[in-house]
Amino acid sequence: MVKIILPLLAALALLPGCQSLAPDYARPTAPVPAAWPDGPAYGPAPTASGDLASAIGWRQFFTEPKLIRLLELSLANNRDLRLATLNIEKARALYQVQRADLFPSIGAIGNANIQRLPASLSANGDAMVSRQFSATLGFSAYELDFFGRVRSLRDQALEQYLSTEEAARAARLSLVAEVAGAYLSLAADQDRLRLAEETLASQRASYELTKRSFEVGVSSALDLRQAQTSVESARVDVARFTSQVAQDVNALNLLAGGPVSLELLPRGLRDTVSAFTNLPLGLPSLTLVQRPDIMQAEHQLKAANANIGAARARFFPSISLTGGGGTASNQLDQLFKAGSGYWNFVPTVNLPIFDAGRNLANLEAAQAQRDIALTQYEKAIQAAFREVADALAQRGTLAEQMAAQRALVEATGESYRLSEARFRRGVDSYLSVLDSQRSSYGAQQSLISVRLSRQTNLVTLYKTLGGGWRETSASGAESHGTVAGQAAAKVPAPALTDHGQ
């Protein structure tokens, strides 16, 4: 009998599960237009060239050495990214736990049972002590996965794990964009502070000149006070931008996970003119599905799809096996002697007959969860399309904004120079000088803002297009993400770049 049962146990343990009862998965059609928006806000359509933006690593996109070093520090030390990485480890461990259910768990058990029976309970009327010792090797409640329930749960855990990896990739891309944005904001605020300091020095000189004119009776007290208002306004801006620069540095310190050395801080936006390389733009249906947040949503959809298979399998019988073999004796020193062997084999069949609709409700809940995941996936694609379209709309008008703002700076600067000359000649009051100075100063501050928008727009496009699934190391070798593990499809893509200020 032992010669028959043990091979049977081995054969049953090695039986593969049947195909999963989960619905066949097909990637849903992207619920967005086949092309990016066009119109006056988007400018002329660029010529097609290059790969998808998702194939461009951040080391290829960012070229400013100080910014690259800052990104390296942030990716190594940022605590939010570290939490995302730890969540991957947790999800990987949970997947291994679920995967282990596909195999029988074999263990060894040693057992001793010593019992005293009083005379009143003894068969022969005498008090007695019984002893039983055993050593067993076997497995317990191993489910034969004929209908794919365990396999479906394994697939669900795998997709959850892959979803967590994509979430970490999304966190990595967001961190890269956030660090670059903070770097550019600091550069812009340093330009604003420098402009405010130069304006303060200029207005103080003008105030001193007006004060001397007032003392000799050439200028009025009103002119003197109006000149003083320019000085005090510039002082306010110097204090405000000094505080803002300090806050920008604090933001970079937080993102980098520690204090950033002064050598890595930008001196102004002109240091970032050539901080970026060409950025290609593919078709929406090919570009958006490469974004890590959308791939995360798709893995969640696959996990919900696999859970339907597990819910369907609960309608069918389940078969579990418990078996083992070893030795048993009433004397410890006789435990491993010849003739003490024993075995047991306990197959169990569970056939659902009546469960008050529990299995049906579980299936309906799984199907509803799949529909929820599908809706979330489609919404993620639509939101991503909107983000890219907004960035393209902004980019399409930035060149015109820059040209107009430069012309405005030139015009207000000349107006300020002429107003001041007319005031010195006694033709106009200081009020016209004050108004012209404010217009010139405001135009220069706005020019800095447009320059910042032009630079951050490239970072925004890089993020919204899902750039960076492939990273080029410092040595030049390419390293691939553990999830994506596949090259992005190569399609004609228009290049987007901007090095002008």
Side-chain angles (χ1 to χ4, degrees):
M1 181 64 71
V2 174
K3 293 181 179 180
I4 298 176
I5 293 297
L6 291 181
L8 178 60
L9 288 175
L12 289 175
L14 294 176
L15 274 177
C18 73
Q19 293 295 324
S20 171
L21 296 180
D24 293 335
Y25 177 80
R27 174 178 287 175
T29 303
V32 293
W36 301 112
D38 56 7
Y42 300 94
T47 57
S49 64
D51 297 330
L52 289 175
S54 57
I56 297 180
W58 64 266
R59 291 182 185 275
Q60 297 171 283
F61 178 66
F62 299 101
T63 59
E64 170 61 35
K66 292 190 292 186
L67 178 55
I68 290 176
R69 178 56 183 156
L70 187 58
L71 287 170
E72 290 174 343
L73 291 174
S74 301
L75 291 172
N77 301 314
N78 183 268
R79 297 311 190 268
D80 289 334
L81 188 60
R82 189 172 298 177
L83 286 174
T85 304
L86 292 174
N87 283 332
I88 291 179
E89 298 300 323
K90 176 183 176 182
R92 181 186 292 116
L94 291 175
Y95 163 64
Q96 293 296 339
V97 170
Q98 189 63 57
R99 182 176 180 271
D101 288 342
L102 289 173
F103 308 95
S105 297
I106 300 176
I109 301 175
N111 186 45
N113 185 6
I114 303 175
Q115 182 179 16
R116 179 187 182 277
L117 290 177
S120 59
L121 297 179
S122 174
N124 57 11
D126 296 327
M128 62 179 296
V129 176
S130 64
R131 295 176 177 84
Q132 181 178 345
F133 303 92
S134 65
T136 304
L137 178 67
F139 55 89
S140 175
Y142 169 60
E143 180 176 347
L144 297 178
D145 196 26
F146 287 119
F147 301 100
R149 188 186 74 85
V150 178
R151 192 174 299 274
S152 294
L153 292 176
R154 187 277 313 269
D155 293 342
Q156 180 190 25
L158 174 61
E159 295 300 335
Q160 293 287 358
Y161 159 57
L162 297 177
S163 173
T164 307
E165 279 203 333
E166 293 300 337
R169 281 185 53 217
R172 182 185 181 89
L173 178 58
S174 295
L175 176 62
V176 167
E178 192 172 357
V179 171
Y183 183 86
L184 294 173
S185 294
L186 173 59
D189 286 335
Q190 288 176 327
D191 282 348
R192 293 185 178 109
L193 175 58
R194 189 176 299 111
L195 175 61
E197 291 174 338
E198 292 171 354
T199 301
L200 176 59
S202 173
Q203 293 307 307
R204 277 177 172 167
S206 179
Y207 172 75
E208 292 299 329
L209 183 59
T210 304
K211 183 178 180 181
R212 288 195 294 271
S213 298
F214 170 74
E215 291 173 348
V216 298
V218 176
S219 298
S220 65
L222 177 61
D223 292 336
L224 180 63
R225 294 309 176 191
Q226 287 175 337
Q228 185 180 6
T229 61
S230 297
V231 173
E232 301 306 329
S233 295
R235 284 181 60 195
V236 169
D237 281 354
V238 168
R240 178 162 59 90
F241 290 125
T242 299
S243 173
Q244 188 60 52
V245 166
Q247 293 178 53
D248 292 340
V249 174
N250 292 337
L252 280 176
N253 290 340
L254 176 62
L255 292 172
V260 178
S261 63
L262 295 177
E263 292 78 9
L264 297 181
L265 299 180
R267 292 170 296 178
L269 280 176
R270 293 192 181 276
D271 288 350
T272 67
V273 171
S274 302
F276 314 102
T277 56
N278 291 349
L279 187 62
L281 180 67
L283 297 176
S285 59
L286 296 173
T287 300
L288 297 180
V289 294
Q290 294 293 333
R291 277 183 41 151
D293 58 333
I294 293 178
M295 294 180 72
Q296 176 189 2
E298 185 175 9
H299 284 302
Q300 293 285 359
L301 175 58
K302 290 180 179 178
N305 197 68
N307 192 41
I308 293 178
R312 286 176 173 175
R314 291 189 179 95
F315 285 91
F316 297 90
S318 63
I319 302 175
S320 61
L321 304 178
T322 298
T327 65
S329 175
N330 60 357
Q331 298 293 326
L332 184 59
D333 58 356
Q334 301 293 320
L335 185 59
F336 296 100
K337 293 294 183 68
S340 63
Y342 83 98
W343 57 266
N344 65 74
F345 176 54
V346 185
T348 302
V349 179
N350 181 16
L351 177 62
I353 297 177
F354 176 74
D355 60 6
R358 179 181 288 107
N359 286 338
L360 180 60
N362 283 330
L363 176 59
E364 291 174 347
Q367 292 171 335
Q369 183 59 45
R370 189 268 315 274
D371 294 340
I372 291 172
L374 173 60
T375 303
Q376 291 173 334
Y377 173 75
E378 293 175 339
K379 180 181 177 181
I381 290 183
Q382 291 177 336
F385 184 89
R386 185 262 175 97
E387 290 174 358
V388 177
D390 285 350
L392 292 175
Q394 183 185 29
R395 179 177 181 76
T397 59
L398 277 172
E400 181 64 24
Q401 291 182 47
M402 179 66 71
Q405 196 63 45
R406 283 173 174 166
L408 182 59
V409 168
E410 183 179 351
T412 54
E414 182 65 13
S415 175
Y416 174 49
R417 186 186 66 80
L418 294 175
S419 296
E420 190 170 34
R422 288 171 62 85
F423 168 73
R424 298 306 171 194
R425 291 182 175 88
V427 178
D428 285 337
S429 67
Y430 195 80
L431 183 61
S432 62
V433 178
L434 180 62
D435 184 62
S436 298
Q437 184 272 330
R438 287 173 177 171
S439 297
S440 177
Y441 177 72
Q444 293 179 74
Q445 290 285 8
S446 296
L447 180 60
I448 294 173
S449 297
V450 175
R451 285 173 175 165
L452 174 62
S453 297
R454 202 170 192 181
Q455 298 291 71
T456 56
N457 177 256
L458 287 171
V459 177
T460 301
L461 277 171
Y462 179 73
K463 176 185 176 183
T464 56
L465 291 173
W469 75 264
R470 182 175 63 193
E471 177 184 338
T472 301
S473 64
S475 62
E478 290 181 351
S479 60
H480 298 263
T482 56
V483 181
Q486 55 183 0
K490 294 187 176 181
V491 295
L496 301 176
T497 184
D498 180 15
H499 297 319
Q501 284 291 312

